[in-house]
Every structure is written in structure tokens, then in C-alpha cells.
Amino acid sequence: MRTIYLDNSATTPLDPLVKKAMDDFWYKKYGNPSSLHHKGREAKQELIKSRKKVAKIINCKPEEIIFTAGGTESINMALIGIAFANKKSGNHIIISNIEHPAVLATCNYLDKHGFDITILSVEKDGILNPKKVEKAITSKTILISAMQVNNEIGTIQPITEISKIIQAYNHRKHANIYFHTDSCQAGNYLNINVKRLGVDAMTLNGSKIYGPKQTGILYIKQDTQIQPYIYGGGQENKLRSGTENMPGIIGFTKALEIAQKKKATESKRLEGLRDWFIKEILKQIPDTILNGHIAKRLPNNINISFMGVEGESMVLFLDKYGICVSSGSACSSTKLTASHIIMALEDNHERAHSSIRFSLGRYTTKKDLEFTLKIIKQAVEKLRNISAV
Ligand SMILES: *Cc1c(COP(=O)(O)O)cnc(C)c1O
């Protein structure tokens, strides 16, 4: 049976060129970048090169890049590190209600440690209104975190507008509110220029951009007050100690370079496939709802509620035909809780429980989607009949 992988927002396969770039770093260039001898210096040179390449892509200084073990770690480091380092200035943090669990759970931890968290609701189309952010800011606010793209419904958030509001406030009140964005889903398709976005901190990961899992970066603007998250030998600007994961760093860098090179053509190609697929599902299958904004969404994201069909049953039905999709977010799809993202759009359990995410990728073809559409129609017919009995 052939696999049709439509779960690229959960993770992507490794690009063969990324693997090739990593190959030398297992047996040949195995040195520790902190060592003085030639094997150490060799690794150190490669580390410096990678940092420069990543810095150029996101438009920052090399010293502002911290290599980490993925999105979750970068987010923990940014939120916990900034919160505790700025406690004297205030204890208020603002996030949205559709953030990834890495943000929500970290804020839950901070809430238990003396911080006051405001969770803003997004609009019905899944977009955070910058005016709401402006209203939520108080003299105690030290940090705002908003994702650049939502992982479940693909909505693109107005990061630049939110940044302008924060900068204006900081300027007017001589305040110093930091702005972090979770860009894990943005690396393949969107502008990740930190100056244009106007952010002080940004998280990216490798596992969503055809790079190795457990790799990523945290961009931290120079002079940001942040305390280390992991203590030890002082690597990564003293913020993230531990011997560098050289194969991972090389792999992440290569993956990011390829993603940026393919950005324009892949976005255009996938937008075409996405719009066709959405149109056909809504036209051919009754009682279906598109979740998220119709235009302000990632080129590869389709999220639809098939009313009357239980999401998990649909995932398993499609899986029998080799088709991989997800219901709710990947992290909660093994739990039978309604998606907090779809619930944020409307207080409707049925809509949340029947939502399916199709996330297209580099290897997705029109033929894959035609076959998927055929199987979905069979699934809906069969599964709706079951619930009616
Ligand atoms: C995948 C993802 C994360 C977590 O990244 P890991 O590398 O799996 O730790 C965080 N935020 C978003 C939006 C994601 O899609």
C-alpha cells in the first residue's frame, strides 16, 4: 500500500540533501567545538559558519542565534528565561488562546510561580486582533507571545501589527515589553525576517522544515534580559549549555536554507492544490465547515469539520487506505479531548470533535488529493450512517 502523507504540520520527512550535509559529522568531523586541538577547531569553524548562515536568513547577528533541541525547548527557554529575568519590572504575560501546548503549558507553569497570564481569545476566523493585545497591556506587562502561524488551522497572525503596538507602547511609557513569536509552522512558507516582523525573540524548529527532529533555534535580540534555561559549560552564549549537537545544527541550517529557496514556488504550488481541495470538499460533501480564515492561511493547511463524523474514526478510516491526516492537534490526537483550537473559534463540541487537518507537503500531488477525496466521501457516508443508527 502506498502512503499518502498529509500530516506535514506534525512533522516532515528529512530532505535527502539535509542528510547528506549531516553525514560528515558522525565519523569525520566529530570534534567538540570547545576543544583547542584541530578536531575541535574544525567543528568550531562549522558551528560559526552555520550560525552565520541562519543569522543571514532571519536577518540578525550571529550572536543572537541560540541552537536548541527543538521548538518546545526554544519556547520554554524564551518564556521562562525572560519572565524570571524581568520579574522586577512586572509579572504580567499576554498570550493567545490558540497557542501551541509548548506555550500554554509553560505559561501554566509560570502562573504557578507568581506570574499573571492573560489569555486572549482569537476572532471567529482564528485571527488575533491586535487591538485586543493593546487593551490587555498593563504597567506590569513584561512579555507577549503570539504564534506566527497556528499549527492546526494554519491562520497567519498579524505579528508586525502587534509588534508596532508593543513598540509604540514601549516608546510612549519608557517600558520594556518583550515580544516572542512561535514561528515553527512558518519556516517553509512565510517571511521569517525578525526585523520585518519586529520581534525580540523567535522560535523555529527543524522537524517542520524537512530537517532533523529535536533541532531548532531561539533568536534572542541583543541586550534582551533573559536568564539561562540550562546551566553548565556556558555554550550558546551561556544560555544553553551542553556539547553542541553538530549533526543537528548542520542539518537544521541546511533544511532552513532549502526551505527558503523553495518558499516562493512551493507556496504557489500548494496554494493551488489547497484551494482546489477545499472547494471540492465543501461542494461535494454536505455539512462541512472550513475552520480558520479562508485567505490568511498557510499554503499547505486545510482544516475541515465533517459534522456528524467523529474525527478519530475518520483518521483511522483514511489510514486503512494509506492516508495520514490528523484530528485535533497531533499532540492531543491520542486523547479524546476536543481541540482547544476549534473550540476557540466557536463553542461547539461537535465541530471540534469532527475536525480533520490535512497538511500538504513537498511531495503532495494532485493525484494524492483526488484519491483522498474519493476515500473521504466513502468515509463520511459510512461513518455518518453509523452515528445515525
Ligand atoms: C511543532 C510545534 C512546536 C513544538 O516543536 P518541537 O520541535 O516538536 O518541540 C511548537 N509550536 C508550533 C506552532 C509547532 O508547530
Side-chain angles (χ1 to χ4, degrees):
M1 188 177 60
R2 202 167 74 83
T3 295
I4 295 180
Y5 188 73
L6 300 177
D7 205 13
N8 289 280
S9 289
T11 191
T12 44
L14 197 75
D15 186 304
L17 291 175
V18 171
K19 167 152 187 316
K20 195 158 164 263
M22 293 166 74
D23 277 348
D24 268 356
F25 289 81
W26 305 105
Y27 294 115
K28 253 170 85 190
K29 302 183 181 174
Y30 51 77
N32 183 331
S34 300
S35 301
L36 267 181
H37 49 65
H38 73 279
K39 290 314 280 179
R41 291 198 306 274
E42 174 184 66
K44 177 93 173 264
Q45 282 313 311
E46 295 286 356
L47 180 60
I48 290 171
K49 261 203 273 179
S50 275
R51 207 185 297 285
K52 274 190 188 150
K53 284 179 187 168
V54 174
K56 193 159 175 229
I57 290 172
I58 71 166
N59 192 22
C60 71
K61 298 186 184 125
E63 315 86 84
E64 295 174 319
I65 304 281
I66 310 297
F67 287 110
T68 69
T72 303
E73 185 181 291
S74 295
I75 290 165
N76 273 261
M77 188 185 292
L79 303 188
I80 295 173
I82 291 175
F84 280 99
N86 293 279
K87 228 176 162 175
K88 275 197 232 88
S89 314
N91 71 340
H92 183 228
I93 296 167
I94 302 170
I95 60 171
S96 85
N97 64 345
I98 59 164
E99 296 301 310
H100 188 273
V103 170
L104 294 172
T106 301
C107 284
N108 192 30
Y109 164 82
L110 289 169
D111 178 71
K112 292 196 177 107
H113 288 79
F115 293 91
D116 188 10
I117 317 291
T118 295
I119 304 178
L120 299 175
S121 307
V122 295
E123 307 299 311
K124 283 197 179 340
D125 56 9
I127 308 278
L128 180 60
N129 183 347
K131 291 225 169 65
K132 266 195 181 169
V133 178
E134 186 163 34
K135 274 202 197 126
I137 295 174
T138 74
S139 59
K140 292 253 169 48
T141 309
I142 50 172
L143 173 64
I144 296 172
S145 187
M147 67 203 322
Q148 190 179 353
V149 183
N150 179 267
N151 45 300
E152 220 174 292
I153 53 175
T155 43
I156 300 168
Q157 302 298 334
I159 297 301
T160 309
E161 284 86 337
I162 295 169
S163 160
K164 280 184 185 144
I165 284 169
I166 298 169
Q167 282 173 15
Y169 181 92
N170 281 345
H171 188 74
R172 210 164 55 236
K173 304 271 183 169
H174 302 286
N176 200 10
I177 302 171
Y178 292 111
F179 186 27
H180 166 259
T181 191
D182 171 0
S183 299
C184 287
Q185 295 287 343
N188 288 320
Y189 308 110
L190 302 183
N191 156 35
I192 46 167
N193 178 327
V194 293
K195 302 264 158 43
R196 286 228 310 259
L197 290 169
V199 293
D200 304 295
M202 179 172 82
T203 289
L204 278 173
N205 66 357
S207 72
K208 311 280 167 64
I209 58 168
Y210 304 84
K213 288 158 183 66
Q214 287 273 318
T215 65
I217 59 152
L218 176 64
Y219 154 75
I220 279 283
K221 194 174 172 185
Q222 211 164 31
D223 299 327
T224 296
Q225 296 297 314
I226 179 168
Q227 70 176 45
Y229 171 65
I230 292 178
Y231 295 86
Q235 289 91 342
E236 296 300 303
N237 228 348
K238 297 199 173 65
L239 287 174
R240 205 276 181 190
S241 286
T243 303
E244 295 85 348
N245 172 9
M246 287 305 296
I249 289 169
I250 298 296
F252 171 83
T253 306
K254 187 74 186 174
L256 189 65
E257 286 183 306
I258 296 171
Q260 288 296 300
K261 232 179 263 157
K262 288 187 186 281
K263 190 168 80 175
T265 48
E266 267 300 271
S267 293
K268 206 162 158 227
R269 185 182 78 86
L270 290 176
E271 269 165 15
L273 290 179
R274 176 196 70 187
D275 293 344
W276 175 82
F277 197 57
I278 292 174
K279 196 183 83 211
E280 291 304 317
I281 290 179
L282 297 183
K283 191 173 78 189
Q284 296 191 32
I285 306 173
D287 292 325
T288 44
I289 306 170
L290 177 70
N291 297 310
H293 197 282
I294 191 150
K296 290 178 191 161
R297 76 190 297 138
L298 219 52
N300 77 328
N301 177 286
I302 294 138
N303 190 309
I304 289 181
S305 289
F306 297 87
M307 301 301 275
V309 178
E310 218 255 310
E312 274 77 11
S313 313
M314 174 77 106
V315 172
L316 296 174
F317 191 102
L318 297 186
D319 189 45
K320 277 192 278 183
Y321 292 87
I323 304 164
C324 305
V325 301
S326 72
S327 64
S329 72
C331 308
S332 64
S333 64
T334 49
K335 299 179 228 150
L336 268 175
T337 49
S339 155
H340 75 280
I341 311 292
I342 313 295
M343 289 298 285
L345 307 180
E346 186 192 0
D347 185 12
N348 181 340
H349 279 271
E350 191 187 349
R351 180 174 172 187
H353 276 298
S354 65
S355 70
I356 297 288
R357 178 185 71 187
F358 307 87
S359 44
L360 319 184
R362 255 177 224 168
Y363 308 107
T364 308
T365 63
K366 179 92 180 263
K367 238 173 129 187
D368 292 342
L369 296 184
E370 282 164 354
F371 178 71
T372 303
L373 182 63
K374 193 177 99 185
I375 305 301
I376 293 172
K377 283 198 282 193
Q378 292 175 15
V380 169
E381 203 161 299
K382 178 119 186 272
L383 299 171
R384 273 190 185 149
N385 279 340
I386 290 173
S387 18
V389 172

